[in-house]
Amino acid sequence: MAPATAFAFAVQVLRGRWFMAYGSFLIMSAAGATYIFAIYSKDIKSTLGYTQEQLNTVGFFKDVGANVGIHAGLIAELSPPWLVLAIGAAMNLGGYLMLYLSVTGRAGHRTPPLWLVCLYIAVGANSQAFANTGALVTCVKNFPESRGVMLGLLKGFVGLSGAIFTQLYLAFYGPGGGASGDTRPLILLVGWLPAAVSVAFLTTIRIIRAPRSPVAVRREYRAFCAFLYVSLALAAYLLVAIVLQKRFQFTRVEYGVSAAVVLSMLLLPGFTTVLREEAALSKNTPDEAQAESSPELSPEVTVDAKQPPAPPPATSMAGQRLPLSLRPPPRGEDYTILQALVSVDMLLLFTATVFGVGGTLTAIDNMGQIGESLGYPRRSVATFVSLISIWNYLGRVAAGFSSEALLSRHRLPRPLILAGVLLLTVPGHLLIAFGVPGSLYVASVVIGFCFGAAQPLILASVSELFGLRYYSTLYNFCGTASPLASYVLNVRVAGRMYDREAARQGKGVTCIGVRCYRESFLVITAVTVAAVVVTLALAWRTREFYAGDIYAKFKAGTTCSSSGGANAIAGGDKVELAVEPKE
């Protein structure tokens, strides 16, 4: 290959959609640091002398930071993705660095107040919302017809991040940290690594408009399958490594070799897929190249914009007609933010997320104390976290790919699949509630899988029901359900009941035995069943919408050739539409 040709190909790769997707996967693989809170939470509790309710309060603010991203969505509506990622990187580094200095006594005050620790972890965790908004939302807009698959992969890499961080931590700080040693250096790793990855891809993550064609969509799916195989191989290796590290005593060098294998599997095969896809684009046949870069347009169709169709009358839940600005368009069209927030569909989806996903989040955050109360060795806690991480990943990719297949082939509503996933979490909660010997390993698998599977289903449902125009904000609004659930179920229910049982036992702030979490997880089981009922109601309401072709408008390839866009419609001018012929 001539130097000029090689340079041109390198530029094409670095500026292409596939390298953008590759960078997004790497950002997501470093953006799930909030899921390993259970590993270092014990050291926060012992170092700062917190009760379980106080520790759960710290965990609640961690969840607030990770999930409340409406401000990130609003910033993304007005600014490019690189600015969103840069803000997130700064918040990640600053928040977790101050948390590390606080728990190591280097922040200028020996025992920082609880509110300050909560502030530090909220700021650090809030970087996840910025990373998700900057990378995930951009990918969904770049691959709109593959959004279920894309969301599954992106959220899958977030799920794997906990196990990846554990391997890197053991390699950097030695086996002592993974067993009974000091886990506080893990907070420092969580602070600098995700920030560094986001900064590395600041100029890569951006909106790239590509014409849609059946050829392009089929090629996309094959490429996503390649990324799926890469992630499956990585997950399989991590699972084997976890089992071996639990069974045998590894040295620091052996942990380092394992971490090097993880990084190689994460970086090299995915980049190979990028090169292959870009090489295929550069060697397209003339017909394929035309479909990819300059699709043939049909004769222009003139639409009289002076008389737009009147929206159907809409009523509130009280039966009164809504103001014109609140009347929603048909499902699947672009809702305004206000129209989406006041809709019954959003209310049902938000409620299901609060009570369905909130229970799994409570189990994940308390896994360290659950294991301790049931008599598991501390070394097993890292195993539980890694199992949750891997099955979290498997749940996300399985839900992303399978729900897309069920939707396209059988028109099965995505909320109905979500109801099945939430129902599957009930056995996991009951295993924790009754403390069956050895069952925490099974509970970790069930809860990790279901928590992961719910994420792409919820996010895809938001984009399908309310459109993509304000997806950045609506996606982040749905995320606020998790911290709300965390406060109710984690702090007020699980934390308070744990401290009450610890006080009854008279052992200070540590509780031992099945009773520590029995009542709280029976409550969580009950509200999860209620969430299933709510999700079934949403599936019933949207059954006719999902019975049709929800991606029809993307397949039609309709674009507006008027430079005025919405302004032309507002001014009553005629808008010329160019439509790509269907194949």
Side-chain angles (χ1 to χ4, degrees):
M1 183 181 292
T5 305
F7 178 77
F9 180 69
V11 172
Q12 175 189 331
V13 169
L14 295 178
R15 296 188 58 81
R17 280 195 308 161
W18 291 110
F19 190 70
M20 185 279 308
Y22 172 74
S24 298
F25 292 146
L26 294 183
I27 290 174
M28 292 293 102
S29 68
T34 55
Y35 300 131
I36 59 174
F37 177 74
I39 295 180
Y40 60 82
S41 61
K42 180 68 176 178
D43 277 318
I44 293 179
K45 182 178 181 180
S46 60
T47 302
L48 302 179
Y50 286 165
T51 65
Q52 186 62 35
E53 185 172 0
Q54 288 175 316
L55 180 64
N56 283 4
T57 301
V58 175
F60 161 68
F61 278 94
K62 181 263 299 178
D63 293 333
V64 169
N67 294 283
V68 177
I70 296 178
H71 55 300
L74 292 174
I75 292 173
E77 301 286 359
L78 304 173
S79 59
W82 69 262
L83 181 59
V84 177
L85 292 174
I87 294 173
M91 294 176 67
N92 190 91
L93 182 61
Y96 282 112
L97 178 60
M98 292 307 300
L99 178 64
Y100 171 75
L101 294 176
S102 296
V103 297
T104 55
R106 304 174 186 175
H109 35 66
R110 190 161 187 82
T111 304
L114 176 62
W115 68 266
L116 192 56
V117 173
C118 292
L119 176 63
Y120 290 154
I121 200 167
V123 170
N126 196 231
S127 64
Q128 180 175 322
F130 281 84
N132 283 342
T133 302
L136 184 148
V137 174
T138 304
C139 278
V140 170
K141 292 183 177 181
N142 285 343
F143 300 92
E145 289 181 65
S146 305
R147 70 186 72 178
V149 173
M150 173 59 77
L151 285 169
L153 282 171
L154 287 168
K155 284 298 187 179
F157 278 102
V158 174
L160 278 181
S161 62
I164 294 172
F165 265 105
T166 302
Q167 295 298 312
L168 295 179
Y169 167 66
L170 292 172
F172 289 160
Y173 300 106
S180 58
D182 186 5
T183 60
R184 290 175 295 180
L186 179 57
I187 304 174
L188 185 60
L189 179 65
V190 167
W192 69 262
L193 184 57
V197 175
S198 291
V199 169
F201 290 99
L202 280 184
T203 60
T204 302
I205 310 302
R206 67 195 190 283
I207 301 293
I208 303 174
R209 301 296 185 188
R212 315 300 299 160
S213 70
V215 174
V217 173
R218 287 195 297 270
R219 181 178 291 121
E220 283 178 9
Y221 186 79
R222 289 195 296 267
F224 288 140
C225 285
F227 282 115
L228 172 64
Y229 301 146
V230 169
S231 62
L232 285 172
L234 178 58
Y237 173 79
L238 287 169
L239 186 59
V240 171
I242 291 167
V243 172
L244 293 178
Q245 289 166 4
K246 178 172 175 57
R247 186 175 181 85
F248 304 103
Q249 190 71 36
F250 274 43
T251 65
R252 186 169 183 176
V253 173
E254 292 169 334
Y255 280 121
V257 172
S258 178
V261 173
V262 169
L263 291 177
S264 298
M265 296 181 70
L266 181 64
L267 298 174
L268 298 181
F271 188 65
T272 302
T273 301
V274 173
L275 294 178
R276 185 178 67 244
E277 292 304 312
E278 292 296 340
L281 288 177
S282 64
K283 296 178 181 179
N284 275 340
T285 63
D287 290 341
E288 289 177 324
Q290 186 178 22
E292 288 288 336
S293 59
S294 57
E296 182 180 353
L297 300 179
S298 67
E300 294 175 340
V301 179
T302 302
V303 179
D304 189 354
K306 292 182 179 179
Q307 297 178 346
T315 58
S316 67
M317 287 185 289
Q320 305 204 355
R321 182 167 295 187
L322 291 172
L324 183 60
S325 61
L326 298 182
R327 295 179 189 176
R331 290 190 180 97
E333 298 300 323
D334 289 328
Y335 281 54
T336 67
I337 296 174
L338 193 56
Q339 286 171 340
L341 295 185
V342 300
S343 69
V344 177
D345 290 347
M346 179 62 82
L347 175 63
L348 293 175
L349 188 60
F350 188 85
T351 303
T353 305
V354 169
F355 295 109
V357 180
T360 58
L361 190 60
T362 299
I364 291 171
D365 284 348
N366 286 276
M367 194 55 67
Q369 284 67 46
I370 293 171
E372 180 186 48
S373 67
L374 296 178
Y376 291 87
R378 187 171 183 182
R379 186 178 177 183
S380 296
V381 174
T383 302
F384 296 144
V385 172
S386 295
L387 284 174
I388 288 173
S389 177
I390 291 172
W391 285 92
N392 184 358
Y393 152 77
L394 290 173
R396 293 173 189 232
V397 296
F401 278 82
S402 63
S403 67
E404 199 70 25
L406 291 171
L407 178 62
S408 62
R409 296 175 186 175
H410 305 290
R411 299 291 188 256
L412 197 65
R414 232 181 278 262
L416 183 60
I417 305 173
L418 176 61
V421 168
L422 296 181
L423 186 61
L424 186 59
T425 64
V426 170
H429 295 322
L430 291 177
L431 286 175
I432 295 176
F434 293 106
V436 180
S439 64
L440 202 53
Y441 294 97
V442 179
S444 299
V445 169
V446 172
I447 289 172
F449 181 87
C450 294
F451 177 77
Q455 302 299 316
L457 294 174
I458 293 170
L459 300 183
S461 297
V462 172
S463 70
E464 290 160 356
L465 296 175
F466 308 112
L468 290 176
R469 183 175 181 184
Y470 297 105
Y471 183 55
S472 296
T473 302
L474 297 178
Y475 152 76
N476 281 294
F477 170 76
C478 236
T480 61
S482 292
L484 176 61
S486 178
Y487 179 75
V488 175
L489 299 177
N490 194 1
V491 178
R492 308 302 295 179
V493 176
R496 182 161 294 186
M497 290 182 176
Y498 179 99
D499 286 338
R500 185 177 64 191
E501 178 62 21
R504 190 190 67 81
Q505 294 179 1
K507 297 180 180 179
V509 296
T510 302
C511 178
I512 302 297
V514 177
R515 291 171 58 100
C516 300
Y517 284 98
R518 172 174 291 176
E519 294 181 5
S520 58
F521 273 86
L522 288 177
V523 172
I524 288 172
T525 300
V527 299
T528 301
V529 173
V532 172
V533 174
V534 171
T535 311
L536 289 174
L538 178 61
W540 177 260
R541 283 177 53 85
T542 58
R543 68 191 186 282
E544 294 183 2
F545 167 69
Y546 281 103
D549 187 355
I550 65 173
Y551 296 148
K553 63 180 180 180
F554 297 106
K555 292 176 181 177
T558 303
T559 58
C560 181
S561 64
S562 169
S563 60
N567 293 332
I569 295 176
D573 297 331
K574 289 186 177 181
V575 180
E576 294 180 339
L577 299 178
V579 182
E580 179 185 356
K582 295 183 180 178
E583 296 188 4

Short mmCIF file of all heavy atoms in Angstrom, two decimals, residues 227-263:
data_model
loop_
_atom_site.label_atom_id
_atom_site.label_comp_id
_atom_site.label_asym_id
_atom_site.label_seq_id
_atom_site.Cartn_x
_atom_site.Cartn_y
_atom_site.Cartn_z
N PHE A 227 -18.28 -7.69 17.29
CA PHE A 227 -18.02 -7.09 18.60
C PHE A 227 -18.61 -7.94 19.72
O PHE A 227 -18.04 -8.05 20.81
CB PHE A 227 -18.60 -5.68 18.66
CG PHE A 227 -17.79 -4.64 17.96
CD1 PHE A 227 -18.27 -3.98 16.84
CD2 PHE A 227 -16.53 -4.29 18.43
CE1 PHE A 227 -17.52 -3.02 16.18
CE2 PHE A 227 -15.75 -3.32 17.79
CZ PHE A 227 -16.26 -2.69 16.66
N LEU A 228 -19.77 -8.54 19.46
CA LEU A 228 -20.38 -9.42 20.46
C LEU A 228 -19.49 -10.61 20.77
O LEU A 228 -19.28 -10.97 21.93
CB LEU A 228 -21.75 -9.90 19.96
CG LEU A 228 -22.43 -10.97 20.81
CD1 LEU A 228 -22.77 -10.43 22.19
CD2 LEU A 228 -23.67 -11.50 20.11
N TYR A 229 -18.92 -11.23 19.72
CA TYR A 229 -18.05 -12.38 19.94
C TYR A 229 -16.80 -11.99 20.74
O TYR A 229 -16.33 -12.76 21.59
CB TYR A 229 -17.64 -13.00 18.60
CG TYR A 229 -18.81 -13.45 17.76
CD1 TYR A 229 -18.78 -13.38 16.37
CD2 TYR A 229 -19.98 -13.92 18.35
CE1 TYR A 229 -19.86 -13.77 15.59
CE2 TYR A 229 -21.07 -14.32 17.59
CZ TYR A 229 -21.01 -14.23 16.22
OH TYR A 229 -22.08 -14.61 15.46
N VAL A 230 -16.30 -10.80 20.47
CA VAL A 230 -15.14 -10.31 21.24
C VAL A 230 -15.50 -10.18 22.72
O VAL A 230 -14.76 -10.64 23.60
CB VAL A 230 -14.67 -8.95 20.68
CG1 VAL A 230 -13.65 -8.31 21.62
CG2 VAL A 230 -14.08 -9.12 19.29
N SER A 231 -16.64 -9.58 22.98
CA SER A 231 -17.04 -9.37 24.37
C SER A 231 -17.38 -10.69 25.06
O SER A 231 -17.10 -10.87 26.24
CB SER A 231 -18.24 -8.42 24.43
OG SER A 231 -19.36 -8.95 23.75
N LEU A 232 -17.96 -11.64 24.32
CA LEU A 232 -18.24 -12.96 24.91
C LEU A 232 -16.95 -13.68 25.28
O LEU A 232 -16.87 -14.31 26.35
CB LEU A 232 -19.06 -13.80 23.92
CG LEU A 232 -20.53 -13.45 23.76
CD1 LEU A 232 -21.14 -14.25 22.62
CD2 LEU A 232 -21.30 -13.71 25.06
N ALA A 233 -15.96 -13.60 24.41
CA ALA A 233 -14.68 -14.23 24.72
C ALA A 233 -14.04 -13.59 25.94
O ALA A 233 -13.48 -14.28 26.81
CB ALA A 233 -13.74 -14.12 23.51
N LEU A 234 -14.13 -12.26 26.03
CA LEU A 234 -13.58 -11.56 27.19
C LEU A 234 -14.32 -11.97 28.46
O LEU A 234 -13.70 -12.21 29.51
CB LEU A 234 -13.68 -10.05 26.97
CG LEU A 234 -13.19 -9.16 28.12
CD1 LEU A 234 -11.74 -9.46 28.46
CD2 LEU A 234 -13.36 -7.69 27.76
N ALA A 235 -15.64 -12.05 28.39
CA ALA A 235 -16.42 -12.45 29.56
C ALA A 235 -16.08 -13.88 29.99
O ALA A 235 -15.96 -14.18 31.19
CB ALA A 235 -17.91 -12.34 29.26
N ALA A 236 -15.90 -14.77 29.02
CA ALA A 236 -15.54 -16.16 29.34
C ALA A 236 -14.18 -16.22 30.02
O ALA A 236 -13.99 -16.96 31.00
CB ALA A 236 -15.55 -17.00 28.06
N TYR A 237 -13.22 -15.45 29.50
CA TYR A 237 -11.90 -15.45 30.13
C TYR A 237 -11.97 -14.91 31.56
O TYR A 237 -11.36 -15.48 32.48
CB TYR A 237 -10.92 -14.60 29.31
CG TYR A 237 -9.60 -14.43 30.03
CD1 TYR A 237 -8.65 -15.46 30.01
CD2 TYR A 237 -9.31 -13.29 30.78
CE1 TYR A 237 -7.46 -15.34 30.69
CE2 TYR A 237 -8.13 -13.17 31.47
CZ TYR A 237 -7.21 -14.19 31.43
OH TYR A 237 -6.04 -14.08 32.13
N LEU A 238 -12.72 -13.83 31.75
CA LEU A 238 -12.83 -13.26 33.10
C LEU A 238 -13.46 -14.26 34.06
O LEU A 238 -13.05 -14.36 35.22
CB LEU A 238 -13.67 -11.97 33.04
CG LEU A 238 -12.98 -10.76 32.41
CD1 LEU A 238 -13.98 -9.64 32.17
CD2 LEU A 238 -11.85 -10.25 33.31
N LEU A 239 -14.46 -15.00 33.59
CA LEU A 239 -15.10 -15.98 34.45
C LEU A 239 -14.13 -17.08 34.85
O LEU A 239 -14.05 -17.47 36.03
CB LEU A 239 -16.31 -16.58 33.73
CG LEU A 239 -17.19 -17.55 34.55
CD1 LEU A 239 -17.74 -16.84 35.78
CD2 LEU A 239 -18.32 -18.09 33.69
N VAL A 240 -13.34 -17.57 33.89
CA VAL A 240 -12.34 -18.60 34.20
C VAL A 240 -11.29 -18.04 35.16
O VAL A 240 -10.88 -18.71 36.12
CB VAL A 240 -11.68 -19.10 32.90
CG1 VAL A 240 -10.48 -20.00 33.21
CG2 VAL A 240 -12.69 -19.85 32.05
N ALA A 241 -10.85 -16.80 34.91
CA ALA A 241 -9.85 -16.18 35.78
C ALA A 241 -10.37 -16.04 37.21
O ALA A 241 -9.64 -16.29 38.18
CB ALA A 241 -9.45 -14.81 35.22
N ILE A 242 -11.62 -15.67 37.35
CA ILE A 242 -12.20 -15.51 38.69
C ILE A 242 -12.22 -16.85 39.43
O ILE A 242 -11.86 -16.93 40.62
CB ILE A 242 -13.63 -14.94 38.58
CG1 ILE A 242 -13.57 -13.49 38.11
CG2 ILE A 242 -14.36 -15.02 39.92
CD1 ILE A 242 -14.92 -12.96 37.68
N VAL A 243 -12.62 -17.90 38.74
CA VAL A 243 -12.67 -19.22 39.37
C VAL A 243 -11.27 -19.67 39.79
O VAL A 243 -11.06 -20.16 40.91
CB VAL A 243 -13.31 -20.24 38.40
CG1 VAL A 243 -13.19 -21.65 38.97
CG2 VAL A 243 -14.76 -19.89 38.15
N LEU A 244 -10.29 -19.50 38.90
CA LEU A 244 -8.92 -19.91 39.23
C LEU A 244 -8.33 -19.07 40.35
O LEU A 244 -7.63 -19.61 41.23
CB LEU A 244 -8.05 -19.81 37.98
CG LEU A 244 -8.38 -20.79 36.84
CD1 LEU A 244 -7.46 -20.55 35.64
CD2 LEU A 244 -8.26 -22.23 37.31
N GLN A 245 -8.59 -17.78 40.35
CA GLN A 245 -8.04 -16.92 41.40
C GLN A 245 -8.67 -17.21 42.75
O GLN A 245 -8.06 -16.96 43.79
CB GLN A 245 -8.24 -15.45 41.01
CG GLN A 245 -7.36 -15.00 39.86
CD GLN A 245 -7.78 -13.68 39.26
OE1 GLN A 245 -8.71 -13.04 39.74
NE2 GLN A 245 -7.13 -13.29 38.17
N LYS A 246 -9.89 -17.71 42.76
CA LYS A 246 -10.52 -18.08 44.02
C LYS A 246 -9.98 -19.42 44.52
O LYS A 246 -9.82 -19.64 45.72
CB LYS A 246 -12.04 -18.17 43.86
CG LYS A 246 -12.76 -18.59 45.14
CD LYS A 246 -14.24 -18.47 45.01
CE LYS A 246 -14.93 -19.01 46.26
NZ LYS A 246 -14.48 -18.33 47.48
N ARG A 247 -9.66 -20.30 43.59
CA ARG A 247 -9.21 -21.65 43.97
C ARG A 247 -7.73 -21.68 44.33
O ARG A 247 -7.31 -22.43 45.22
CB ARG A 247 -9.48 -22.62 42.81
CG ARG A 247 -9.20 -24.06 43.14
CD ARG A 247 -9.62 -24.97 42.00
NE ARG A 247 -9.39 -26.39 42.31
CZ ARG A 247 -10.24 -27.14 42.97
NH1 ARG A 247 -11.39 -26.63 43.40
NH2 ARG A 247 -9.96 -28.41 43.21
N PHE A 248 -6.92 -20.85 43.64
CA PHE A 248 -5.48 -20.86 43.87
C PHE A 248 -5.01 -19.47 44.31
O PHE A 248 -5.64 -18.46 44.01
CB PHE A 248 -4.72 -21.27 42.59
CG PHE A 248 -5.15 -22.59 42.03
CD1 PHE A 248 -5.97 -22.65 40.91
CD2 PHE A 248 -4.75 -23.78 42.62
CE1 PHE A 248 -6.38 -23.86 40.38
CE2 PHE A 248 -5.16 -25.01 42.10
CZ PHE A 248 -5.98 -25.05 40.98
N GLN A 249 -3.88 -19.45 45.00
CA GLN A 249 -3.30 -18.20 45.47
C GLN A 249 -2.38 -17.65 44.38
O GLN A 249 -1.32 -18.20 44.10
CB GLN A 249 -2.51 -18.43 46.76
CG GLN A 249 -2.07 -17.14 47.44
CD GLN A 249 -3.24 -16.40 48.07
OE1 GLN A 249 -4.16 -17.00 48.60
NE2 GLN A 249 -3.20 -15.08 48.03
N PHE A 250 -2.79 -16.56 43.73
CA PHE A 250 -2.00 -15.96 42.66
C PHE A 250 -0.96 -15.00 43.23
O PHE A 250 -1.18 -14.36 44.25
CB PHE A 250 -2.91 -15.19 41.70
CG PHE A 250 -3.54 -16.04 40.62
CD1 PHE A 250 -4.05 -17.29 40.90
CD2 PHE A 250 -3.61 -15.57 39.32
CE1 PHE A 250 -4.63 -18.06 39.93
CE2 PHE A 250 -4.18 -16.35 38.32
CZ PHE A 250 -4.70 -17.60 38.63
N THR A 251 0.17 -14.89 42.53
CA THR A 251 1.16 -13.88 42.87
C THR A 251 0.83 -12.60 42.10
O THR A 251 -0.02 -12.59 41.20
CB THR A 251 2.57 -14.34 42.48
OG1 THR A 251 2.65 -14.49 41.06
CG2 THR A 251 2.90 -15.69 43.14
N ARG A 252 1.53 -11.53 42.44
CA ARG A 252 1.28 -10.26 41.76
C ARG A 252 1.64 -10.35 40.28
O ARG A 252 0.96 -9.75 39.43
CB ARG A 252 2.07 -9.15 42.43
CG ARG A 252 1.77 -7.77 41.88
CD ARG A 252 2.36 -6.68 42.74
NE ARG A 252 2.01 -5.36 42.23
CZ ARG A 252 2.35 -4.24 42.85
NH1 ARG A 252 3.01 -4.28 43.99
NH2 ARG A 252 2.02 -3.07 42.34
N VAL A 253 2.71 -11.09 39.96
CA VAL A 253 3.09 -11.26 38.55
C VAL A 253 2.00 -11.98 37.79
O VAL A 253 1.64 -11.61 36.66
CB VAL A 253 4.42 -12.03 38.46
CG1 VAL A 253 4.74 -12.36 37.00
CG2 VAL A 253 5.55 -11.22 39.07
N GLU A 254 1.42 -13.01 38.38
CA GLU A 254 0.34 -13.76 37.72
C GLU A 254 -0.90 -12.89 37.53
O GLU A 254 -1.58 -12.98 36.50
CB GLU A 254 0.01 -15.01 38.53
CG GLU A 254 1.13 -16.05 38.50
CD GLU A 254 0.93 -17.16 39.50
OE1 GLU A 254 0.24 -16.92 40.53
OE2 GLU A 254 1.47 -18.26 39.29
N TYR A 255 -1.20 -12.05 38.51
CA TYR A 255 -2.29 -11.10 38.33
C TYR A 255 -1.98 -10.13 37.19
O TYR A 255 -2.87 -9.73 36.42
CB TYR A 255 -2.55 -10.31 39.61
CG TYR A 255 -3.35 -11.06 40.65
CD1 TYR A 255 -2.84 -11.31 41.91
CD2 TYR A 255 -4.65 -11.49 40.37
CE1 TYR A 255 -3.58 -11.98 42.88
CE2 TYR A 255 -5.40 -12.15 41.33
CZ TYR A 255 -4.86 -12.41 42.58
OH TYR A 255 -5.60 -13.06 43.52
N GLY A 256 -0.71 -9.74 37.08
CA GLY A 256 -0.32 -8.85 36.00
C GLY A 256 -0.49 -9.48 34.63
O GLY A 256 -0.95 -8.84 33.67
N VAL A 257 -0.12 -10.75 34.51
CA VAL A 257 -0.31 -11.47 33.25
C VAL A 257 -1.79 -11.55 32.90
O VAL A 257 -2.20 -11.33 31.75
CB VAL A 257 0.31 -12.88 33.34
CG1 VAL A 257 -0.04 -13.70 32.10
CG2 VAL A 257 1.82 -12.78 33.49
N SER A 258 -2.61 -11.84 33.89
CA SER A 258 -4.05 -11.91 33.66
C SER A 258 -4.61 -10.58 33.19
O SER A 258 -5.42 -10.52 32.25
CB SER A 258 -4.77 -12.35 34.95
OG SER A 258 -6.17 -12.39 34.77
N ALA A 259 -4.15 -9.49 33.81
CA ALA A 259 -4.62 -8.16 33.41
C ALA A 259 -4.17 -7.83 31.98
O ALA A 259 -4.92 -7.21 31.21
CB ALA A 259 -4.11 -7.10 34.38
N ALA A 260 -2.95 -8.25 31.62
CA ALA A 260 -2.46 -8.00 30.26
C ALA A 260 -3.31 -8.75 29.24
O ALA A 260 -3.61 -8.22 28.15
CB ALA A 260 -1.00 -8.43 30.16
N VAL A 261 -3.71 -9.96 29.57
CA VAL A 261 -4.59 -10.72 28.67
C VAL A 261 -5.93 -10.01 28.52
O VAL A 261 -6.49 -9.91 27.41
CB VAL A 261 -4.78 -12.16 29.20
CG1 VAL A 261 -5.83 -12.90 28.37
CG2 VAL A 261 -3.46 -12.92 29.18
N VAL A 262 -6.46 -9.50 29.63
CA VAL A 262 -7.75 -8.78 29.58
C VAL A 262 -7.65 -7.57 28.66
O VAL A 262 -8.53 -7.35 27.81
CB VAL A 262 -8.17 -8.36 31.01
CG1 VAL A 262 -9.35 -7.38 30.94
CG2 VAL A 262 -8.55 -9.57 31.83
N LEU A 263 -6.60 -6.78 28.83
CA LEU A 263 -6.44 -5.59 27.99
C LEU A 263 -6.26 -5.95 26.52
O LEU A 263 -6.79 -5.27 25.63
CB LEU A 263 -5.26 -4.76 28.49
CG LEU A 263 -5.45 -4.07 29.85
CD1 LEU A 263 -4.17 -3.34 30.26
CD2 LEU A 263 -6.62 -3.11 29.81
#
